[in-house]
Amino acid sequence: MVLPVLALFLAMTIYPFGFMIWASFRDYDLSKSAETHFIGLSNYFQIFRDSTAIESMKFTAKLLSIAVPVELVLGVLIAFLIRGVKGEKIIRSSLLIPMMIPPAVSGVAWKMLYNFAFGPVNWFLSLFGVPKISWLGDPFYAQLGIIIIDVWQWTPFIFLMIYAGLQSIPQDLIDAARVDGADWGRVFLHVEFPLLRPLILVALVLRIIDCLKTFDIVFMTTWGGPGSATHTYSFYIYKVGISFGWNIGYASALSVLLLIVAIVLVNVVFRLVRMRQQLGFGGEE
Amino acid sequence: MKKILTIVRYILIAICLIFFLFPVYWLVITAFKPSDEWFTMPPRFFPTKPTLANFFGAKETEVFGGTTGSIENIFPYLRNSIVVGVSVALIGTVISALAAYAIARYRVGGPFLAEWIISIRMLPPIVSAVPLYVIFTKLRLINTWWALILSHLVIVVPLGVWLLISFFREIPREIDEAAYVDGATPFQAFFYVVLPLSAPGLAAVAVLSLIQSWGEFLLALVLTNDARAQTLPIFLGRYITGWRVAWGPLSAAGIVTMLPVVVFALVAQRYLIRGLTSER
């Protein structure tokens, strides 16, 4: 019964990964010639001499270190903010909408919002006397712009996880703490936060993993520009391997590096969610 | 004091709602604006002359290189999205169910197999996109529905297996065993006893698979190159370049791309919450 899955995954992952590793040691460039030679590690050495590759790593790191923490804090705050208010269900569903929208559509919407001359964002800022900002044309603001879109699209995901976690905390636990004289802050710090902590960790690592995939939004809004300011690592691989370069060998070397990072992260997630227990394999606890 | 806090709370909620909903609102109203209202300062927050021209095509939108206008142009992409999405949902649910049942009941492959399947979901798609491009070119599968169906299955099946393992584990083993006593083979037990009982789980997996396939961008971008197989998100991507984009028709296409998923996702919300935080 597992045969269909095995067949699918062997054909669609093992084989491509094998191909990728093989190609990463060769001068496999579709724009040059069909002949390829073994060239050892030089594709890998090239990464460290390639300023765009370094820049794409830096921007990906910025996304990870700015967008993800902001999403985490906002998500937790919003979960607490709407708990128990009137119309909670409608508000909750509305707040989830951004994460349900295909990122390509979000890209269209935000590209309109960021428009230099006619965009609502610049109009809104002008009410406060802020001069027009070239959101997608200036390196600093383009990076900030992508970060804002990422926060907009993925805070709902964190919110959803934390909110679901809050629902599962038994109310009598909170009531008991209240009876013992704990105020709002203490209940959060000593009752809710410790119970939510594993969930927050999982949300964090899942977001980090997904952040490495950031592609559609960049493609739809800035196309990596201006210059190479908003290249994410995934977007750079796409440019090297498909859209500009056809340099399959170099793109494969870049991919192998990303794959290693992703595999390390996946293992961290599995430890955090106690994957084996969840799947029902051993581990009595 | 308490009253002030409540007011502050509602104001904060209102700000959140505006931040998270305004971009969607903007997309929706732009789709109903005639072309002279796309580029105005201050922007029009309500279309004064709402129109359906952006959906059905009109002469005026062609001024802006607006081949995006009209449902006729979207139709092939909509068709591709539907064919690929529905196939992925059906095939994905079937093979996820088979694998999940074997893992949940018979522990086939042990924890390693289960973890391996699920870990595939977490790998960045760009990693397999380049090799798949090369391989599918050799197999002459580039720009076909099959290229997309196969590659989307790889994204969809791991989540399906994960959800269904926990679903099958909640169905008591005694029910299968009763079927064996009555002389059923394991496959019959699965097909006639377990599957009907897990219908809600299967439905959730099918809906989630459809949603993921519908919105997938990178693989569709790499593995297809024209209206024969490209899906709706790629259609949007093609028309967003250039300095004066036909915003109205593009927004209308955006609505067509977004609406089915948002509706499905809101319906499947409960399962989503459960899937993400299962067994907690």
Side-chain angles (χ1 to χ4, degrees), chain B residues 145-163:
Chain B
W145 288 334
W146 276 111
L148 291 185
I149 293 171
L150 284 172
S151 59
H152 287 182
L153 279 175
V154 176
I155 299 179
V156 154
V157 166
L159 193 64
V161 171
W162 188 0
L163 280 172

mmCIF file of all heavy atoms in Angstrom, chain B residues 145-163:
data_model
loop_
_atom_site.group_PDB
_atom_site.id
_atom_site.type_symbol
_atom_site.label_atom_id
_atom_site.label_comp_id
_atom_site.label_asym_id
_atom_site.label_seq_id
_atom_site.Cartn_x
_atom_site.Cartn_y
_atom_site.Cartn_z
ATOM 1 N N TRP B 145 0.127 18.924 -18.362
ATOM 2 C CA TRP B 145 -0.549 18.833 -17.074
ATOM 3 C C TRP B 145 0.171 17.845 -16.167
ATOM 4 O O TRP B 145 0.254 18.025 -14.966
ATOM 5 C CB TRP B 145 -2.005 18.380 -17.280
ATOM 6 C CG TRP B 145 -2.856 19.438 -17.880
ATOM 7 C CD1 TRP B 145 -2.661 20.785 -17.794
ATOM 8 C CD2 TRP B 145 -4.042 19.255 -18.657
ATOM 9 N NE1 TRP B 145 -3.661 21.443 -18.474
ATOM 10 C CE2 TRP B 145 -4.515 20.541 -19.015
ATOM 11 C CE3 TRP B 145 -4.750 18.136 -19.088
ATOM 12 C CZ2 TRP B 145 -5.668 20.733 -19.765
ATOM 13 C CZ3 TRP B 145 -5.897 18.322 -19.839
ATOM 14 C CH2 TRP B 145 -6.349 19.611 -20.187
ATOM 15 N N TRP B 146 0.710 16.768 -16.793
ATOM 16 C CA TRP B 146 1.344 15.733 -15.973
ATOM 17 C C TRP B 146 2.534 16.259 -15.189
ATOM 18 O O TRP B 146 2.762 15.860 -14.047
ATOM 19 C CB TRP B 146 1.758 14.533 -16.834
ATOM 20 C CG TRP B 146 0.603 13.610 -17.007
ATOM 21 C CD1 TRP B 146 -0.083 13.369 -18.156
ATOM 22 C CD2 TRP B 146 -0.042 12.853 -15.982
ATOM 23 N NE1 TRP B 146 -1.119 12.497 -17.914
ATOM 24 C CE2 TRP B 146 -1.119 12.160 -16.587
ATOM 25 C CE3 TRP B 146 0.177 12.686 -14.615
ATOM 26 C CZ2 TRP B 146 -1.969 11.322 -15.872
ATOM 27 C CZ3 TRP B 146 -0.670 11.848 -13.898
ATOM 28 C CH2 TRP B 146 -1.722 11.184 -14.526
ATOM 29 N N ALA B 147 3.296 17.151 -15.799
ATOM 30 C CA ALA B 147 4.457 17.715 -15.099
ATOM 31 C C ALA B 147 3.995 18.375 -13.803
ATOM 32 O O ALA B 147 4.599 18.191 -12.738
ATOM 33 C CB ALA B 147 5.164 18.735 -15.991
ATOM 34 N N LEU B 148 2.898 19.132 -13.900
ATOM 35 C CA LEU B 148 2.397 19.834 -12.721
ATOM 36 C C LEU B 148 1.761 18.870 -11.731
ATOM 37 O O LEU B 148 1.981 18.966 -10.522
ATOM 38 C CB LEU B 148 1.380 20.902 -13.121
ATOM 39 C CG LEU B 148 1.966 22.087 -13.878
ATOM 40 C CD1 LEU B 148 0.909 23.136 -14.130
ATOM 41 C CD2 LEU B 148 3.109 22.689 -13.099
ATOM 42 N N ILE B 149 0.985 17.922 -12.244
ATOM 43 C CA ILE B 149 0.304 16.989 -11.333
ATOM 44 C C ILE B 149 1.348 16.216 -10.529
ATOM 45 O O ILE B 149 1.277 16.132 -9.303
ATOM 46 C CB ILE B 149 -0.615 16.029 -12.127
ATOM 47 C CG1 ILE B 149 -1.771 16.820 -12.752
ATOM 48 C CG2 ILE B 149 -1.150 14.929 -11.222
ATOM 49 C CD1 ILE B 149 -2.625 16.034 -13.732
ATOM 50 N N LEU B 150 2.368 15.680 -11.212
ATOM 51 C CA LEU B 150 3.389 14.888 -10.512
ATOM 52 C C LEU B 150 4.133 15.742 -9.489
ATOM 53 O O LEU B 150 4.320 15.336 -8.342
ATOM 54 C CB LEU B 150 4.392 14.305 -11.521
ATOM 55 C CG LEU B 150 3.879 13.110 -12.324
ATOM 56 C CD1 LEU B 150 4.865 12.740 -13.426
ATOM 57 C CD2 LEU B 150 3.652 11.918 -11.395
ATOM 58 N N SER B 151 4.539 16.956 -9.889
ATOM 59 C CA SER B 151 5.347 17.741 -8.955
ATOM 60 C C SER B 151 4.498 18.273 -7.805
ATOM 61 O O SER B 151 4.974 18.381 -6.676
ATOM 62 C CB SER B 151 6.064 18.871 -9.683
ATOM 63 O OG SER B 151 5.136 19.717 -10.316
ATOM 64 N N HIS B 152 3.220 18.589 -8.075
ATOM 65 C CA HIS B 152 2.363 19.049 -6.981
ATOM 66 C C HIS B 152 2.055 17.913 -5.998
ATOM 67 O O HIS B 152 1.911 18.153 -4.806
ATOM 68 C CB HIS B 152 1.056 19.620 -7.517
ATOM 69 C CG HIS B 152 1.232 20.968 -8.164
ATOM 70 N ND1 HIS B 152 0.189 21.684 -8.687
ATOM 71 C CD2 HIS B 152 2.326 21.718 -8.364
ATOM 72 C CE1 HIS B 152 0.645 22.822 -9.195
ATOM 73 N NE2 HIS B 152 1.945 22.859 -9.013
ATOM 74 N N LEU B 153 1.974 16.684 -6.529
ATOM 75 C CA LEU B 153 1.718 15.551 -5.637
ATOM 76 C C LEU B 153 2.803 15.454 -4.569
ATOM 77 O O LEU B 153 2.527 15.133 -3.409
ATOM 78 C CB LEU B 153 1.658 14.247 -6.434
ATOM 79 C CG LEU B 153 0.340 13.941 -7.140
ATOM 80 C CD1 LEU B 153 0.462 12.684 -7.980
ATOM 81 C CD2 LEU B 153 -0.791 13.790 -6.129
ATOM 82 N N VAL B 154 4.032 15.761 -4.963
ATOM 83 C CA VAL B 154 5.127 15.664 -4.000
ATOM 84 C C VAL B 154 4.926 16.664 -2.849
ATOM 85 O O VAL B 154 5.272 16.400 -1.708
ATOM 86 C CB VAL B 154 6.482 15.927 -4.701
ATOM 87 C CG1 VAL B 154 7.610 15.934 -3.692
ATOM 88 C CG2 VAL B 154 6.724 14.872 -5.754
ATOM 89 N N ILE B 155 4.321 17.808 -3.153
ATOM 90 C CA ILE B 155 4.083 18.809 -2.109
ATOM 91 C C ILE B 155 2.901 18.404 -1.236
ATOM 92 O O ILE B 155 2.894 18.593 -0.021
ATOM 93 C CB ILE B 155 3.798 20.185 -2.752
ATOM 94 C CG1 ILE B 155 4.999 20.620 -3.575
ATOM 95 C CG2 ILE B 155 3.441 21.222 -1.705
ATOM 96 C CD1 ILE B 155 4.793 21.946 -4.271
ATOM 97 N N VAL B 156 1.888 17.817 -1.876
ATOM 98 C CA VAL B 156 0.598 17.607 -1.244
ATOM 99 C C VAL B 156 0.559 16.320 -0.405
ATOM 100 O O VAL B 156 -0.002 16.291 0.678
ATOM 101 C CB VAL B 156 -0.458 17.573 -2.374
ATOM 102 C CG1 VAL B 156 -1.653 16.776 -1.993
ATOM 103 C CG2 VAL B 156 -0.814 18.980 -2.804
ATOM 104 N N VAL B 157 1.173 15.255 -0.920
ATOM 105 C CA VAL B 157 1.066 13.950 -0.267
ATOM 106 C C VAL B 157 1.639 13.927 1.162
ATOM 107 O O VAL B 157 1.004 13.358 2.051
ATOM 108 C CB VAL B 157 1.682 12.846 -1.167
ATOM 109 C CG1 VAL B 157 1.893 11.553 -0.392
ATOM 110 C CG2 VAL B 157 0.766 12.608 -2.361
ATOM 111 N N PRO B 158 2.806 14.548 1.415
ATOM 112 C CA PRO B 158 3.321 14.477 2.794
ATOM 113 C C PRO B 158 2.341 14.997 3.839
ATOM 114 O O PRO B 158 2.118 14.343 4.864
ATOM 115 C CB PRO B 158 4.568 15.360 2.740
ATOM 116 C CG PRO B 158 5.015 15.303 1.333
ATOM 117 C CD PRO B 158 3.769 15.218 0.518
ATOM 118 N N LEU B 159 1.713 16.145 3.553
ATOM 119 C CA LEU B 159 0.752 16.694 4.510
ATOM 120 C C LEU B 159 -0.458 15.772 4.642
ATOM 121 O O LEU B 159 -0.969 15.545 5.743
ATOM 122 C CB LEU B 159 0.322 18.097 4.064
ATOM 123 C CG LEU B 159 -0.432 18.915 5.089
ATOM 124 C CD1 LEU B 159 0.452 19.204 6.298
ATOM 125 C CD2 LEU B 159 -0.912 20.230 4.483
ATOM 126 N N GLY B 160 -0.888 15.212 3.506
ATOM 127 C CA GLY B 160 -2.018 14.293 3.512
ATOM 128 C C GLY B 160 -1.729 13.068 4.364
ATOM 129 O O GLY B 160 -2.559 12.649 5.178
ATOM 130 N N VAL B 161 -0.531 12.490 4.190
ATOM 131 C CA VAL B 161 -0.155 11.310 4.968
ATOM 132 C C VAL B 161 -0.157 11.657 6.452
ATOM 133 O O VAL B 161 -0.707 10.925 7.288
ATOM 134 C CB VAL B 161 1.242 10.807 4.532
ATOM 135 C CG1 VAL B 161 1.737 9.715 5.479
ATOM 136 C CG2 VAL B 161 1.194 10.269 3.112
ATOM 137 N N TRP B 162 0.431 12.803 6.775
ATOM 138 C CA TRP B 162 0.533 13.231 8.177
ATOM 139 C C TRP B 162 -0.859 13.336 8.823
ATOM 140 O O TRP B 162 -1.131 12.773 9.878
ATOM 141 C CB TRP B 162 1.262 14.565 8.211
ATOM 142 C CG TRP B 162 1.619 15.061 9.567
ATOM 143 C CD1 TRP B 162 1.363 14.461 10.772
ATOM 144 C CD2 TRP B 162 2.321 16.261 9.855
ATOM 145 N NE1 TRP B 162 1.868 15.221 11.777
ATOM 146 C CE2 TRP B 162 2.450 16.325 11.257
ATOM 147 C CE3 TRP B 162 2.838 17.299 9.068
ATOM 148 C CZ2 TRP B 162 3.089 17.393 11.887
ATOM 149 C CZ3 TRP B 162 3.477 18.357 9.694
ATOM 150 C CH2 TRP B 162 3.597 18.403 11.086
ATOM 151 N N LEU B 163 -1.762 14.061 8.127
ATOM 152 C CA LEU B 163 -3.119 14.240 8.664
ATOM 153 C C LEU B 163 -3.845 12.907 8.803
ATOM 154 O O LEU B 163 -4.501 12.649 9.801
ATOM 155 C CB LEU B 163 -3.934 15.147 7.733
ATOM 156 C CG LEU B 163 -3.710 16.633 7.849
ATOM 157 C CD1 LEU B 163 -4.445 17.361 6.743
ATOM 158 C CD2 LEU B 163 -4.220 17.107 9.200
#
